[in-house]
Amino acid sequence: MSYLKFRKGWEIPQREVTPEHIYWNRRQLIKALGFVGLSALALSQLPSLEAIGSSTAQPHTTSTPAPTPTLVPRSPKYVLDRPVTPEEEATHYTNFYEFAMGKREVANLVSRFETRPWEIEVTGLVEKPRTFEINELLRLVPLEERLYRFRCVERWAIAVPWTGFTMKSLLDLVEPKSTARYVKMVTFFRPDQAPEQNDSNWPWPYTEGLTMEEALNELTFLSTGIYGKDLPKQNGAPFRLVVPWKYGLKSVKSIVHIELTDQKPATFWETIAPNEYPFESNVDPDVPHPRWSQAEEIMLGTEEKRPTLKYNGYGEYVAHLYES
Ligand SMILES: Nc1nc2c(c(=O)[nH]1)N[C@H]1C(S)=C(S)[C@@H](COP(=O)(O)O)O[C@H]1N2
Ligand SMILES: [Mo]
């Protein structure tokens, strides 16, 4: 099928590596601490936010106000083995097929996409089915920042700070029944806002799934921010999954519906090509994609090649899930 011809992830122009996220984080820290009017020199002398945490959501325009901007602590537990990807790369080289096939086109096509107000319906095998407005939900769950590696099945990879909360903290609010075996997650369907959703050759809406054990794993994160700011629309605003030991296609964006079920959900990519994108899709250097090797990956921004790590380096957290 023609839409399976991916552009190779390393065919990106060499770009200047600008540590823009550091600049922004410092600026936001100063705002959050109430210092204004500092000179550029003073700005440059502030410590990096590494040890301090970074500020979260920017103002929203809905009746329920978002949480007051606070310093969201960065978890010290999840450390990187490589530099943070330049913000410009991670936010302008994005996969979001609802808008475009071309990764550098997506950010220019999201202006009509409305991400506030936003409701998330949680249904199925739960004691307390519930619809949350996103700003309300953000007050009910503990927010934190985590540095994670993130690996696309096409071989490009990033390393970024996500702001968000665990899937477990959301599931605790609805009380899963013991019969629940899978969590199904569904993206919006709005052909008037997302041009590619007018193409009925694709199995819209984008759907993904995890087993209950995977969903409850401590790594399984629901992200509302990146680089200490609200998630840009092209990265899956207002709310997307992040499962860093699986290929990026599992990390479904802009979720409107979460359903607990005893049936394995059909996913977007498994429906298109089951032999290429199976339900589990764990990062594994020893299991090649049918059309390319997975032994290496290429970091966005620097084009550095690195050996692919089994479970993307998160084996200590998840390997036990797959031992028979
Ligand atoms: N709804 C939706 N979610 C999606 C996608 C998509 O096209 N639509 N692409 C997936 C793929 S293939 C990847 S690699 C990641 C990319 O996330 P990023 O663009 O924020 O890096 O999002 C995933 N989630
Ligand atoms: Mo991907």
Side-chain angles (χ1 to χ4, degrees):
M1 278 175 271
S2 64
Y3 50 69
L4 289 180
K5 282 193 200 107
F6 295 117
R7 186 175 155 204
K8 296 189 186 88
W10 56 94
E11 289 174 353
I12 51 173
Q14 178 68 51
R15 273 166 201 267
E16 200 192 338
V17 182
T18 312
E20 198 200 14
H21 63 283
I22 292 172
Y23 168 78
W24 274 102
N25 281 351
R26 283 179 182 159
R27 205 167 145 261
Q28 289 213 326
L29 175 68
I30 290 158
K31 262 167 70 184
L33 294 178
F35 297 127
V36 282
L38 286 185
S39 70
L41 181 65
L43 280 178
S44 71
Q45 286 168 346
L46 271 174
S48 117
L49 274 179
E50 232 78 337
I52 303 172
S54 55
S55 105
T56 182
Q58 289 159 1
H60 307 297
T61 49
T62 62
S63 48
T64 313
T68 314
T70 42
L71 294 176
V72 174
R74 175 176 288 181
S75 170
K77 192 167 175 185
Y78 309 100
V79 292
L80 296 176
D81 56 352
R82 62 197 72 184
V84 170
T85 301
E87 179 178 343
E88 178 64 19
E89 286 296 316
T91 59
H92 289 83
Y93 186 93
T94 57
N95 260 341
F96 207 162
Y97 287 98
E98 284 83 342
F99 295 94
M101 300 260 313
K103 298 168 212 311
R104 293 200 183 277
E105 291 164 38
V106 174
N108 298 323
L109 292 167
V110 294
S111 55
R112 267 188 295 160
F113 174 34
E114 287 171 19
T115 60
R116 286 294 194 286
W118 190 275
E119 287 189 341
I120 303 125
E121 217 188 337
V122 189
T123 64
L125 299 174
V126 296
E127 299 294 346
K128 297 182 175 169
R130 188 163 164 184
T131 297
F132 299 93
E133 206 287 316
I134 183 74
N135 293 346
E136 172 201 9
L137 177 60
L138 291 179
R139 293 175 178 278
L140 298 174
V141 288
L143 293 174
E144 61 180 298
E145 186 179 64
R146 293 185 177 187
L147 291 167
Y148 276 168
R149 292 178 292 275
F150 186 94
R151 167 63 151 79
C152 174
V153 72
E154 302 160 299
R155 288 186 281 198
W156 56 269
I158 55 178
V160 295
W162 301 105
T163 305
F165 51 96
T166 60
M167 172 71 93
K168 182 175 185 303
S169 65
L170 170 57
L171 294 181
D172 284 348
L173 295 172
V174 296
E175 299 176 19
K177 293 185 177 174
S178 60
T179 48
R181 293 184 55 210
Y182 296 94
V183 180
K184 174 181 167 184
M185 289 151 282
V186 186
T187 297
F188 67 88
F189 181 67
R190 300 180 189 168
D192 53 327
Q193 296 184 18
E196 290 298 322
Q197 287 190 329
N198 292 293
D199 185 342
S200 57
N201 292 316
W202 298 77
W204 308 118
Y206 197 103
T207 303
E208 260 304 337
L210 297 171
T211 66
M212 275 304 284
E213 292 70 31
E214 290 171 337
L216 291 171
N217 187 271
E218 68 167 275
L219 291 181
T220 305
F221 207 55
L222 290 164
S223 170
T224 57
I226 191 168
Y227 297 96
K229 304 183 227 172
D230 280 352
L231 214 51
K233 291 178 182 180
Q234 63 269 23
N235 289 96
F239 167 77
R240 61 93 55 88
L241 181 69
V242 180
V243 274
W245 74 97
K246 292 178 175 289
Y247 290 119
L249 60 100
K250 297 294 293 182
S251 290
V252 47
K253 295 178 169 180
S254 305
I255 298 166
V256 295
H257 188 189
I258 296 175
E259 182 189 347
L260 277 70
T261 162
D262 55 6
Q263 305 291 311
K264 188 171 139 186
T267 75
F268 183 81
W269 283 108
E270 196 181 21
T271 302
I272 293 166
N275 58 321
E276 304 202 355
Y277 311 106
F279 185 84
E280 192 167 274
S281 286
N282 291 330
V283 176
D284 192 337
D286 300 324
V287 179
H289 184 278
R291 291 180 285 127
W292 57 81
S293 162
Q294 292 291 19
E296 285 190 315
E297 62 196 31
I298 297 91
M299 298 306 298
L300 286 191
T302 60
E303 298 182 60
E304 182 197 5
K305 276 195 185 178
R306 302 185 64 111
T308 302
L309 304 173
K310 175 116 172 149
Y311 300 118
N312 203 19
Y314 294 103
E316 66 178 294
Y317 300 100
V318 297
H320 68 275
L321 296 174
Y322 309 104
E323 281 154 10
S324 42

